[in-house]
Amino acid sequence: MGQCPKKCPTGVEGVGQQNGAVPLPVPADFSTGLEWIVWPADDAAPDFDARWAAFDLADVCRLYGVCVVRVGKRVLAIYPPALEPELVAYTGSLLAEAQDYLSANMDRLPILTQAQAVEIVLDIMRAHKRLRFCRGDGGSRWPVYPREWSAGQRATVQTLWFAAGDALDRDEFREIDQ
């Protein structure tokens, strides 16, 4: 009682949070590797849940610049360096849920060769001098990340490390122990 009736907010006036999450700008020609995925219409299909996860994964990839590739018989996601840790975790969980569907359609995913992965790792090492690889048991190499790196940066190098495989253990992959 005694209060003036308040108007409902119009389109001009904002309500709630002013600075919502804005997706990272992704170039128009960016390929997620999942452009072939379509809406999972048949809810009776045995792979319905995996298809939904793949459909959601394709959306996340398109919005945040994540790329899904195949390396041998593995399906891996390559994350942009600035991706928030929560989005890295969410993308990883969607990838795990969609794994069976993506594995069944492996021939539709872009291929990342070991040589390409090594070249990308070397480019990252040139840009970030504190990224190093150390030798583990049996002579294999393991990444040692700079302390201040984001989850996206770590996840990207880890994915590329998996993709490069034993190509990182070759002698021509110098720069590592220096």
Side-chain angles (χ1 to χ4, degrees), residues 27-90:
D29 62 345
F30 177 78
S31 174
T32 64
L34 301 176
E35 289 80 12
W36 52 272
I37 294 180
V38 295
W39 183 274
D42 183 13
D43 60 351
D47 62 351
F48 182 72
D49 291 337
R51 288 184 92 171
W52 258 115
F55 185 77
D56 289 344
L57 178 62
D59 279 346
V60 169
C61 290
R62 191 172 26 264
L63 287 172
Y64 297 102
V66 177
C67 182
V68 176
V69 296
R70 73 174 162 155
V71 178
K73 301 218 180 263
R74 288 181 129 161
V75 178
L76 301 172
I78 299 176
Y79 304 92
L83 197 61
E84 294 294 322
E86 295 82 14
L87 284 169
V88 172
Y90 179 61

Side-chain angles (χ1 to χ4, degrees), residues 118 121-122 125 132-145 157-158 160-162 164-178:
V118 167
V121 168
L122 285 173
M125 289 178 74
R132 293 279 180 238
F133 281 75
C134 67
R135 290 199 182 271
D137 293 338
S140 63
R141 302 195 181 181
W142 294 75
V144 178
Y145 308 108
V157 169
Q158 184 174 6
L160 292 167
W161 174 54
F162 286 144
D166 60 356
L168 291 178
D169 297 333
R170 296 187 189 133
D171 289 334
E172 67 263 15
F173 191 72
R174 288 177 280 222
E175 297 184 37
I176 294 175
D177 297 317
Q178 299 175 359

Side-chain angles (χ1 to χ4, degrees), residues 145-156:
Y145 308 108
R147 215 176 275 239
E148 69 278 358
W149 267 28
S150 70
Q153 288 172 307
R154 291 172 188 239
T156 296

Side-chain angles (χ1 to χ4, degrees), residues 104-127:
N105 292 284
M106 189 83 74
D107 58 326
R108 294 180 169 191
L109 294 171
I111 299 170
L112 180 67
T113 66
Q114 284 186 327
Q116 290 169 325
V118 167
E119 195 55 44
I120 295 169
V121 168
L122 285 173
D123 288 343
I124 292 171
M125 289 178 74
R126 285 184 202 104

